[in-house]
Amino acid sequence: MDAGDRIIEVDGWPTFGHDNDEIIRRLKGEPGTEVTVSIWRDGWEEFQEFAITREVIHIPSVTHNLLPADLGLIEVASFSEGVTQEIMNALSEMKDQGMRGLILDLRNNSGGYMNEAVSMVSLFTEPSQLVVYTEGRNVEREDYYSSKLPMTWDGPLVVLVNDRSASASEIVSGALQ
């Protein structure tokens, strides 16, 4: 599938007029089972059917590379459980390779667990720094502070965000700023 493709039918069930959650429920199923989708793409004369075998797909939350000039690049796709540990592993590996600066890419990251965002900030700040707080009309303010983690980065750091960075990405970028 390409960006902009539209799912017209799922196993013969027309998707028009139904919300995404209902369509996704019909697409999901037991791993190893098959689902047939009818797809429409701009420029096609008619929609096409594809049989897809359902599988569990693991999308890594963190990818990393050491770029020229010994710049580390860590791309964080989501703030899922364990993302801070994944970043610690990436930092350790790149530091061993001589990393001198770090680019933390949070672009297009829609967020995730707030506790992971707070932990991630702890990798780059001193302990006991205010990271974020929550409060509501009938809920008292609750402060969240950075903690001491075994691995930190205190060298040059650039954080990349864009208009699709949200939630936990905003917490991290705001706290590090």
Side-chain angles (χ1 to χ4, degrees), residues 60-65 72-95 99 102-106 109 116-124 149-153 157 168 172 176:
S61 297
V62 175
T63 56
H64 68 283
N65 293 302
L73 171 64
I74 296 179
E75 297 174 85
V76 183
S78 68
F79 286 82
S80 58
E81 187 175 340
V83 73
T84 302
Q85 183 62 53
E86 291 182 54
I87 293 170
M88 287 172 60
N89 296 343
L91 283 171
S92 177
E93 181 181 319
M94 291 189 299
K95 283 172 74 174
M99 179 176 68
L102 177 64
I103 301 167
L104 182 62
D105 189 350
L106 303 178
N109 183 317
E116 288 290 345
V118 173
S119 291
M120 185 186 299
V121 170
S122 300
L123 295 172
F124 306 103
L149 294 176
M151 170 71 65
T152 60
W153 175 253
L157 173 67
V172 170
L176 293 178

Side-chain angles (χ1 to χ4, degrees), residues 12-109:
W13 176 79
T15 61
F16 182 76
H18 299 281
D19 64 28
N20 285 341
D21 289 338
E22 189 171 353
I23 296 167
I24 290 169
R25 274 193 301 278
R26 290 182 180 260
L27 288 169
K28 289 183 175 181
E30 286 294 314
T33 62
E34 199 170 90
V35 62
T36 301
V37 294
S38 299
I39 304 294
W40 171 260
R41 181 177 296 167
D42 288 337
W44 286 357
E45 295 292 324
E46 54 189 47
F47 64 81
Q48 295 184 24
E49 286 190 355
F50 297 90
I52 301 169
T53 303
R54 296 175 174 111
E55 295 294 336
V56 175
I57 300 171
H58 174 71
I59 300 171
S61 297
V62 175
T63 56
H64 68 283
N65 293 302
L66 192 62
L67 304 174
D70 296 325
L71 289 175
L73 171 64
I74 296 179
E75 297 174 85
V76 183
S78 68
F79 286 82
S80 58
E81 187 175 340
V83 73
T84 302
Q85 183 62 53
E86 291 182 54
I87 293 170
M88 287 172 60
N89 296 343
L91 283 171
S92 177
E93 181 181 319
M94 291 189 299
K95 283 172 74 174
D96 288 348
Q97 296 173 358
M99 179 176 68
R100 297 181 353 191
L102 177 64
I103 301 167
L104 182 62
D105 189 350
L106 303 178
R107 292 175 297 175
N108 302 315
N109 183 317

